[in-house]
Amino acid sequence: MPPDRPALTAEPVAGRGIACVAAMAGNAAVSRMMASPVPVTIAPPSSPEFLALVEEIEARRAAIEAHSTAQAEQIRASADALKQRFRTNTDAKAMAVEQAHAAALGVVQQHASTAQETIQGNLDAELARVDAAAEAELLRLDGVIEDKHGAVTRHAEDKATLATTAGDEQAQRATEGTTERTTRVNEIANAKIERYRTHEQAEEIRDTVESAKRDVLAELNRTGTAVASSVRTKSTELGAHFRKEAAQTDFEQPRSDARTQILENRDRTKDTLREIAANATARITAEASQLSTSLQEQSTQRSQDVRAQAALFDTLIDESVATTITQLAEPAEALANDLASFAQDNQDAACYQPFVEEARTELLAAADSRQA
């Protein structure tokens, strides 16, 4: 009989020891049967019939051993095939579990990636909106500054025009006053001349009045012209002052300060938006990582649990095989031992022909009955 062979299907380390012990227990019964004394030693004298019976017994013992060994091998082969099918199914289930968790992990990662892309897209849109708002505010600032500059210029021009108009009016009044005073001087001079017309010194008085009138009129004209010219000069200078003052009004510093404030507000708002987006992205990444770790741990544990069922099944099958082989081999072992014992123990009757014939009939019939 060939030496005992381990099961064809490899067991995990945890179940290998138990499976090997069970297989060895199953092989022991067959090994003990084959270890019976073969062939039986027959001491002479002995009859040819008894020797023939012994040969038949030996042949029957060999057949019993071969049959028992074949049964054991068939049982082991069937068990190995069953274990292999169960392990194949178990591996398929474990792979299905791993694939399902891998698919779930992919979904988690895809959702996280989509959420992060959405956050980044929203952030880009908000940053663009903030930039556009700042640009619009800068444009409005330039418009406001230009409007203020125009208003100041117009106001200065209005004041300059008003000053010029007032100067012209004052000069006109000075001219008109000079005309009125000139007329009055003429009237007074004429009245004086008329009053002293009959005077003995009328000629001298007239010359004196005319001379004085000329002097007064010359002074009035000079004074009037000087006043009118002075008023016009002052009003012109005042208008020029208003225009210069408007031109020198500082609008660049307020413009620069306002631009700086607008840009600072823009940058501060963008920094806040980036911080909010970074926090949201970090939270999504952490949650996805935690969920991925949990899914990976579950996948590993469940696949291990499923594969552990194969090891347990192997152990149970090996134990069952050992029990079955033992149950089949022990009766065969007992029958082989009984046959060997008969030939060994009944040598003293070997020459008694009727006993040999009867023994052949009964012993072999009994062996057939026990094998059945």
Side-chain angles (χ1 to χ4, degrees), residues 191-363:
K192 286 287 187 180
I193 293 173
E194 183 64 26
R195 180 179 177 184
Y196 293 102
R197 182 188 297 247
T198 59
H199 194 279
E200 58 182 11
Q201 295 180 341
E203 187 68 23
E204 294 178 359
I205 292 172
R206 186 182 67 242
D207 291 339
T208 300
V209 170
E210 289 289 344
S211 176
K213 182 181 74 173
R214 286 193 298 271
D215 293 339
V216 170
L217 290 176
E219 182 63 22
L220 287 175
N221 288 329
R222 185 187 66 76
T223 302
T225 300
V227 169
S229 176
S230 175
V231 169
R232 287 190 175 92
T233 299
K234 292 294 184 182
S235 65
T236 300
E237 291 176 352
L238 185 58
H241 171 73
F242 289 149
R243 293 185 179 95
K244 182 179 179 181
E245 187 178 57
Q248 292 178 345
T249 300
D250 184 14
F251 290 100
E252 289 306 314
Q253 189 60 45
R255 183 202 301 268
S256 177
D257 293 342
R259 286 181 61 86
T260 300
Q261 187 63 49
I262 291 171
L263 295 177
E264 287 179 354
N265 292 340
R266 179 201 64 185
D267 293 342
R268 187 162 49 249
T269 302
K270 291 173 71 174
D271 289 342
T272 301
L273 291 173
R274 290 189 182 97
E275 183 178 359
I276 293 173
N279 291 337
T281 301
R283 185 170 60 254
I284 290 172
T285 301
E287 291 174 354
S289 177
Q290 182 178 2
L291 184 55
S292 298
T293 300
S294 177
L295 285 172
Q296 188 63 47
E297 291 175 351
Q298 291 178 14
S299 175
T300 301
Q301 185 61 47
R302 289 191 63 185
S303 61
Q304 288 176 351
D305 292 343
V306 171
R307 288 189 170 93
Q309 295 175 5
L312 178 60
F313 183 78
D314 287 353
T315 300
L316 294 176
I317 289 296
D318 288 337
E319 292 175 352
S320 177
V321 166
T323 302
T324 301
I325 291 175
T326 299
Q327 290 174 350
L328 293 173
E330 285 179 347
E333 178 187 5
L335 178 57
N337 289 336
D338 288 346
L339 291 174
S341 298
F342 173 82
Q344 188 72 41
D345 298 340
N346 291 282
Q347 294 186 57
D348 55 350
C351 295
Y352 184 58
Q353 182 64 26
F355 173 79
V356 173
E357 292 298 330
E358 183 181 357
R360 174 182 287 110
T361 301
E362 294 181 356
L363 183 62

Side-chain angles (χ1 to χ4, degrees), residues 4-249:
D4 296 337
R5 294 183 299 174
L8 297 178
T9 303
E11 297 85 4
V13 175
R16 188 175 299 163
I18 298 175
C20 289
V21 170
M24 291 173 63
N27 293 334
V30 178
S31 298
R32 286 195 306 272
M33 181 177 63
M34 293 183 65
S36 301
V38 180
V40 176
T41 302
I42 305 300
S46 181
S47 67
E49 290 80 9
F50 189 77
L51 293 176
L53 176 60
V54 170
E55 290 180 0
E56 290 184 27
I57 289 173
E58 291 300 324
R60 180 59 59 87
R61 288 181 66 246
I64 291 171
E65 293 170 0
H67 180 68
S68 181
T69 300
Q71 282 186 315
E73 292 298 328
Q74 183 178 3
I75 290 171
R76 288 194 187 95
S78 299
D80 288 342
L82 181 60
K83 290 192 296 184
Q84 184 60 43
R85 287 197 301 271
F86 188 82
R87 181 170 294 279
T88 300
N89 292 335
T90 302
D91 288 340
K93 291 179 180 179
M95 290 181 63
V97 169
E98 293 169 350
Q99 290 173 356
H101 281 82
L105 181 61
V107 171
V108 169
Q109 293 173 344
Q110 181 60 45
H111 285 177
S113 178
T114 300
Q116 291 171 347
E117 290 175 358
T118 300
I119 290 173
Q120 185 61 46
N122 292 338
L123 173 62
D124 292 341
E126 285 299 312
L127 293 178
R129 186 187 63 80
V130 171
D131 286 336
E135 289 299 324
E137 196 167 354
L138 290 175
L139 289 176
R140 286 195 297 272
L141 172 64
D142 292 338
V144 169
I145 294 297
E146 292 301 323
D147 291 343
K148 287 185 176 180
H149 185 271
V152 169
T153 301
R154 288 192 299 274
H155 184 60
E157 190 62 32
D158 291 342
K159 291 195 295 184
T161 300
L162 181 62
T164 302
T165 300
D168 290 341
E169 291 176 352
Q170 291 293 332
Q172 182 64 31
R173 281 197 293 272
T175 300
E176 292 175 352
T178 299
T179 301
E180 291 176 356
R181 285 190 289 274
T182 300
T183 301
R184 180 62 179 162
V185 168
N186 285 326
E187 291 176 352
I188 292 172
N190 291 334
K192 286 287 187 180
I193 293 173
E194 183 64 26
R195 180 179 177 184
Y196 293 102
R197 182 188 297 247
T198 59
H199 194 279
E200 58 182 11
Q201 295 180 341
E203 187 68 23
E204 294 178 359
I205 292 172
R206 186 182 67 242
D207 291 339
T208 300
V209 170
E210 289 289 344
S211 176
K213 182 181 74 173
R214 286 193 298 271
D215 293 339
V216 170
L217 290 176
E219 182 63 22
L220 287 175
N221 288 329
R222 185 187 66 76
T223 302
T225 300
V227 169
S229 176
S230 175
V231 169
R232 287 190 175 92
T233 299
K234 292 294 184 182
S235 65
T236 300
E237 291 176 352
L238 185 58
H241 171 73
F242 289 149
R243 293 185 179 95
K244 182 179 179 181
E245 187 178 57
Q248 292 178 345
T249 300

